[in-house]
Amino acid sequence: MPRLLRPLLRGTTYTRLLHLWVPMLVVSVWLFVVPSTPWVPALFLVPLGLVPAVRRGEGVQARLLLTPGEPEPGISEAPAATWRDRLRTVLWLELRMLLGAVTVFASVWLPVLCFELARCAWGEAPDGVPLLDRLPAHRAWALLAPLPLLALYGLVVGLGELVTAGARRLLGPSAAERLAALEERTEQLLERTRIARELHDSIGHALTVAVVQAGAARAAGDPEFTGRALGAIEETGRAALEDLERVLGVLREAERPVSARPTLADAGRLLESARASGAKVDAEVRGPVEALPGPVSREGYRILQEALTNVLRHAGAVPVRVRVTVGDGTLALEVRNPLPGAIPGAGRGSGLRGIRERAALLGGAARTGPDEGDWQVRAELPVG
C-alpha cells in the first residue's frame, strides 16, 4: 500500500499535472468566448508548431515540469532546425492538448461524481448530473463513492507518465543534435586522454631526472658536480612546470563547446605566438581554409599547435617553415625546422604520437622525423 501511494509524495506528479493543465487555460478562454467552435485551438496549433522557437519553449517547459532534476532527460531545448523537427513539434502540441483535455475533464467530473455518490448514500437525489439523477438514494452508494477519486489518482499518474514519454519521443534530440553531442563528447574524451598521457610523460620524466641527479650529487660529494646537478634539476623542473601550465590551459579549453574551439582560421595567433618566442616563422597558407569541415579544421589547428610547440621546446628560437595547403580533397600541413644538436628522442615522443593519433582519427596520416638536415612534421587529412 505505501508503494501504491508513493506518487502522492513526489513533486513530479504535481508538476506534470500542472504541465497538462497549462494549455487548457487558453482553451478555456476560447470556449468562454466562442463555445460553438471548440476545435479552433487545435487547428491553431498547426501553424504555431511550425515556428522554430516554439520547440525550444516546449522543451524548456517539458524539462522543468515533466523531468525536474534529471540531468539527461532526453528532451531537447534547441529550436527546430528541420521540417521533421517542426512536424514533430506540431504532433507534440496536439498530443499535449488532447491529454490536457482528458486531465481537465477528469479533474472536474470525477470529484463531482464522488460527491454525488456520497449524496445518494446520504439520502439525497443528485441534481443536474446525467445518469446519476436517476439513481435511487441508498446507503450502498457509500461503498462506490471513493472509486472516482481512485480513478482520478491513477489517471493523473498514468497521464503524467504518458505525456513524459511523448515528450521524449517528439521533443527528443534530432539525429543532427545527437551527432553534434556525440562529436563533442568524443573530442572531450580524446583530449583528456591525451592530456593524461602528456602529464604522465612530462612530469614522470622530470621527476625521474630530478631523483637521479639528486642521488648522484649526494653520492659524488663534489661541490662542482653538485652545482651542475642542481642546475639540471632546476632546468628540468622549470620545463615540467611549463608543460604543466600548457596542458592545464588545454584542459580548461576542453570545457568549451566544440563550435567555440579554435580552427585553422585562427592559425595566425599560433604563428604570432611562435614569433614572439623568438622563432623566425615563414608561413604560407594556400586554399580555402575557412571552408574546411569543423572537425578537420580543429584537428589541423591542434596538429599545427603541437608541431610549433615541439619546435620551441626542443630546437628553441630557430627558423621554422610552415605550409598549410587545402586542395584535391586533402588538407596538408608541413612544419620544418633545422635539427638541434641531437635528434629528438623520448622527450619528443609524446607530442609526435599525439600528432599521429589526431591524423589517424580522421582517416589521415602523419610523418615525423629527419628530412634533408631538417626536422619535418607533415600531416595529411582527408576533407569531406
Side-chain angles (χ1 to χ4, degrees), residues 18-44:
L18 177 61
H19 184 270
L20 290 168
W21 277 347
V22 167
M24 302 313 298
L25 297 177
V26 178
V27 176
S28 300
V29 173
W30 176 264
L31 292 178
F32 181 78
V33 177
V34 191
S36 60
T37 55
W39 46 268
V40 171
L43 188 63
F44 177 71

Side-chain angles (χ1 to χ4, degrees), residues 314 338-349 352 368-371 373-376:
H314 299 286
L339 277 172
I343 295 178
R348 201 167 188 170
L352 299 181
T368 59
D371 181 66
D374 291 338
W375 180 269
Q376 179 193 48

Side-chain angles (χ1 to χ4, degrees), residues 59-221:
V60 171
Q61 288 185 59
R63 277 176 172 254
L64 182 64
L65 297 177
L66 298 181
T67 58
E70 292 188 24
E72 296 294 338
I75 299 174
S76 174
E77 293 182 340
T82 63
W83 280 104
R84 175 180 169 83
D85 290 341
R86 297 179 186 183
L87 294 177
R88 291 169 69 202
T89 305
V90 172
L91 291 176
W92 160 251
L93 292 176
E94 299 289 356
L95 175 65
R96 184 181 179 187
M97 177 168 285
L98 175 62
L99 297 180
V102 174
T103 303
V104 170
F105 181 84
S107 300
V108 172
W109 286 105
L110 288 178
V112 170
L113 179 60
C114 176
F115 177 75
E116 294 300 335
L117 287 174
R119 288 186 63 191
C120 286
W122 192 258
E124 299 182 14
D127 184 19
V129 180
L131 299 179
L132 291 185
D133 54 3
R134 301 180 182 180
L135 294 178
H138 197 282
R139 293 187 183 277
W141 297 119
L143 298 176
L144 299 180
L147 294 183
L149 294 182
L150 292 177
L152 177 62
Y153 169 63
L155 195 65
V156 167
V157 174
L159 289 176
E161 294 290 342
L162 183 59
V163 74
T164 303
R168 290 192 171 105
R169 178 71 175 175
L170 298 175
L171 296 179
S174 64
E177 290 169 344
R178 289 194 296 269
L179 182 61
L182 180 61
E183 178 190 348
E184 181 170 351
R185 179 62 177 164
T186 301
E187 286 209 11
Q188 288 179 349
L189 291 176
L190 290 173
E191 198 71 23
R192 290 177 179 178
T193 300
R194 189 180 68 85
I195 287 169
R197 185 178 62 245
E198 287 198 8
L199 280 176
H200 176 270
D201 291 347
S202 177
I203 304 302
H205 172 73
L207 290 176
T208 300
V209 170
V211 170
V212 171
Q213 292 283 359
R218 184 177 59 179

Side-chain angles (χ1 to χ4, degrees), residues 317-364:
V318 297
V320 184
R321 181 183 176 216
V322 176
R323 295 293 182 265
V324 179
T325 306
V326 181
D328 298 329
T330 303
L331 166 65
L333 295 166
E334 183 183 32
V335 178
R336 300 177 69 97
N337 64 276
L339 277 172
I343 295 178
R348 201 167 188 170
S350 175
L352 299 181
R353 184 167 61 247
I355 290 174
R356 289 190 289 267
E357 288 178 355
R358 287 184 182 277
L361 180 66
L362 295 177

